[in-house]
Amino acid sequence: MNTKIKYTLLLILAVSSCRLSVAQSVIDLIKQRPSYASCNYDVYPDSITAKLTPAPAGKKPFYISHYGRHGSRYISNRSGFDTPYFMMLHADSLDELTPTGKQVLRHMNNIMRNTEGRWGELTGYGKQQMQNIGRRMAERFPEVFHPGANVTCISTVVPRCIESMGSLAMEMLQVCPQLHITMQASKRTQWYMNYQDKKLRKSYMTPEAQKALDAYTATRMGNTRLMELIFKNPDIAEEFVNQEDFSYYLMKMGLFQLNTNFNRNTNLIGLFNTNDLYRMWQVDNAYWYLQHGACKLNGGNQPYTQRHLLKKMIADADSCIKLPDPGAQLRFGHETVLLPLVCLIGVNGFDFSTDNLDELESHGWWCSSVFPMAGNLQFIFYRSNPKDKDVLVKVLLNEVEATLPISTDCAPYYHWSDFRQYCLNKLAAYKQ
């Protein structure tokens, strides 16, 4: 068979396999794991059971390049909690809360007391997530994390990222105490570790994008049932309670507690049914797509916010491949970097480009699958020996084998030379 035809068929099969995974609907996932509905507040699916495909004959892992989000944290600032909380306080001052409403306010008071002064901090649960990821990485790839191996860890300057880095690295030392681990967090690396392109970030909400988002969310916001459950006179309450904001942020408040060690089974979640959570997910998913996906409504360039990171990762890999024993380079940052990086590379079809927000779900563009708390992207490099020029790479998204939008004769492995050239071509196509 013609090699080009063979590669094309293999790529089609890989993409088809990826699409089949979409057979499990978002609603099914939310029923199993309600936090999935909260998108970037989602809790990391820490029971990783996916098996890894054995490498082609003679190939062994020798280098890992990684970018990961920090572990579970407290909400970064109080504004998200204040929105529903102050509405409830106002209603209570007017004696407009039902018995259920008063119970909800008590839960909210407990949450606010527990969170005060901890805004944005890594939780104990978040530290445990990072430890588990570090342990699994070291145990899965002992050829990389062997005695004497060098592991370079770089974090953004945000404390929760620094703590996440330390938690993961220290757990790796429990698996292999002889690792040589270095850790750093410096403003000098922010140009690629946490680059936020001001021009692109300001231009994502074009008039066309705003019109499409408004139309998409029009039937998905608000919750009349919730208003009747909490307020004695919902019509009166709506004079000072914005139904859409109240429902949305109260759901977020309840789901966010799953990231903390405090009240993780909060009854606030019980106020909402699966359809409530699903509609909130749809709204958030569309919003994240406009911000970071290849959306045609704003030019499709938002993923290029992470062009500097991708260039740096390619350059680092080129240098490390030349070494006999390069070890690993681990980077710790944020979801606003991880998501556009995945979209820029096209991992698992996240380079999907459309001007129709209704198409996102059917095409598997589900942001929650990319950037839960502790979300991570791992590039595992393979070769037979240091002189082997046919270096292979496998991508793991949240520790599960992923697809790339290029041809391969050894899926889920890809020839580094093909992947490297694909990325360089895509980077060159961006006109600033």
Side-chain angles (χ1 to χ4, degrees):
M1 181 183 292
N2 180 281
T3 302
K4 184 175 182 180
I5 295 175
K6 179 181 177 182
Y7 277 18
T8 301
L9 289 174
L10 287 168
L11 178 60
I12 291 172
L13 287 172
V15 173
S16 297
S17 176
C18 177
R19 291 287 178 254
L20 285 174
S21 66
V22 177
Q24 184 180 36
S25 71
V26 174
I27 290 181
D28 290 337
L29 285 171
I30 292 173
K31 286 179 180 178
Q32 297 167 12
R33 186 159 57 93
S35 72
Y36 191 87
S38 58
C39 293
N40 64 316
Y41 295 169
D42 186 18
V43 179
Y44 192 73
D46 214 19
S47 299
I48 307 298
T49 59
K51 301 295 183 181
L52 298 182
T53 304
K59 301 289 187 179
K60 297 174 293 185
F62 71 97
Y63 165 61
I64 292 177
S65 180
H66 152 282
Y67 189 96
R69 185 190 184 193
H70 56 76
S72 284
R73 58 167 169 80
Y74 289 93
I75 194 169
S76 55
N77 60 70
R78 64 179 304 143
S79 61
F81 283 1
D82 278 351
T83 297
Y85 184 58
F86 287 141
M87 290 179 184
M88 288 289 285
L89 288 178
H90 191 182
D92 188 44
S93 71
L94 300 175
D95 193 28
E96 279 295 329
L97 292 181
T98 64
T100 297
K102 289 184 178 294
Q103 186 178 37
V104 168
L105 182 57
R106 286 195 292 272
H107 285 302
M108 296 173 79
N109 280 323
N110 289 337
I111 290 171
M112 295 300 288
R113 281 196 297 268
N114 176 262
T115 309
E116 184 62 45
R118 295 173 172 171
W119 312 110
E121 291 181 5
L122 190 71
T123 67
Y125 194 41
K127 293 176 183 178
Q128 186 64 54
Q129 291 164 344
M130 301 309 294
Q131 290 168 355
N132 292 343
I133 292 169
R135 185 187 68 253
R136 283 191 294 266
M137 193 185 301
E139 290 176 346
R140 274 178 153 183
F141 306 105
E143 300 91 341
V144 176
F145 300 99
H146 59 77
N150 293 309
V151 180
T152 301
C153 300
I154 299 176
S155 168
T156 69
V157 295
V158 178
R160 59 180 172 270
C161 298
I162 298 172
E163 286 189 75
S164 293
M165 172 177 67
S167 297
L168 184 145
M170 292 303 99
E171 188 65 21
M172 282 186 164
L173 287 174
Q174 296 298 313
V175 178
C176 183
Q178 294 80 31
L179 289 174
H180 293 160
I181 298 180
T182 61
M183 292 184 280
Q184 65 168 302
S186 170
K187 291 183 178 179
R188 294 187 65 179
T189 60
Q190 297 303 287
W191 65 272
Y192 70 91
M193 284 293 297
N194 192 21
Y195 181 68
Q196 302 295 330
D197 189 304
K198 293 181 180 179
K199 181 180 178 181
L200 284 174
R201 291 301 300 271
K202 287 181 179 179
S203 64
Y204 81 92
M205 192 58 79
T206 62
E208 295 80 8
Q210 186 67 67
K211 181 179 179 180
L213 184 63
D214 289 345
Y216 184 79
T217 61
T219 59
R220 294 176 167 89
M221 296 291 285
N223 191 327
T224 302
R225 178 188 57 79
L226 181 70
M227 296 290 287
E228 294 175 347
L229 185 66
I230 290 179
F231 302 106
K232 292 179 179 178
N233 300 288
D235 292 340
I236 295 175
E238 288 209 42
E239 294 178 8
F240 54 88
V241 173
N242 181 299
Q243 182 183 150
E244 294 182 355
D245 287 349
F246 179 73
S247 174
Y248 177 86
Y249 286 106
L250 188 59
M251 271 190 278
K252 287 284 190 177
M253 193 174 195
L255 290 169
F256 205 98
Q257 295 315 295
L258 297 174
N259 287 288
T260 75
N261 289 349
F262 168 78
N263 201 18
R264 287 186 56 206
N265 295 316
T266 173
N267 290 325
L268 292 185
I269 299 174
L271 296 170
F272 306 97
N273 59 40
T274 299
N275 192 53
D276 295 332
L277 299 175
Y278 171 57
R279 287 187 290 113
M280 183 186 71
W281 176 87
Q282 288 181 309
V283 170
D284 272 3
N285 192 60
Y287 189 70
W288 282 106
Y289 181 68
L290 290 172
Q291 278 194 302
H292 300 292
C295 182
K296 292 180 180 179
L297 294 166
N298 55 27
N301 288 326
Q302 293 303 314
Y304 282 102
T305 58
Q306 299 315 311
R307 60 192 181 278
H308 300 310
L309 174 58
L310 182 54
K311 288 178 184 177
K312 186 68 167 63
M313 294 180 77
I314 292 172
D316 286 348
D318 285 343
S319 296
C320 287
I321 286 172
K322 296 176 183 178
L323 302 175
D325 188 18
Q329 292 178 309
L330 311 179
R331 307 169 186 87
F332 301 84
H334 308 271
E335 81 271 39
T336 53
V337 174
L338 180 60
L339 178 59
L341 177 65
V342 166
C343 294
L344 180 58
I345 295 171
V347 178
N348 281 354
F350 273 87
D351 54 350
F352 176 63
S353 183
T354 183
D355 59 3
N356 185 351
L357 300 179
D358 286 307
E359 293 181 349
L360 296 179
E361 198 169 337
S362 62
H363 280 77
W365 204 99
W366 304 352
C367 64
S368 305
S369 295
V370 176
F371 62 4
M373 301 286 187
N376 58 89
L377 190 63
Q378 302 177 26
F379 296 86
I380 320 298
F381 289 74
Y382 293 75
R383 67 187 177 192
S384 56
N385 58 66
K387 295 182 179 180
D388 183 3
K389 301 299 182 183
D390 184 24
V391 173
L392 302 181
V393 63
K394 175 168 64 177
V395 180
L396 304 182
L397 178 59
N398 297 325
E399 303 179 77
V400 178
E401 291 177 343
T403 62
L404 295 172
I406 59 174
S407 300
T408 180
D409 58 352
C410 51
Y413 297 85
Y414 298 81
H415 297 276
W416 168 244
S417 58
D418 294 339
F419 177 53
R420 178 183 184 277
Q421 192 59 54
Y422 161 78
C423 290
L424 292 177
N425 290 344
K426 190 158 190 177
L427 289 168
Y430 177 60
K431 307 302 180 184
Q432 300 185 43

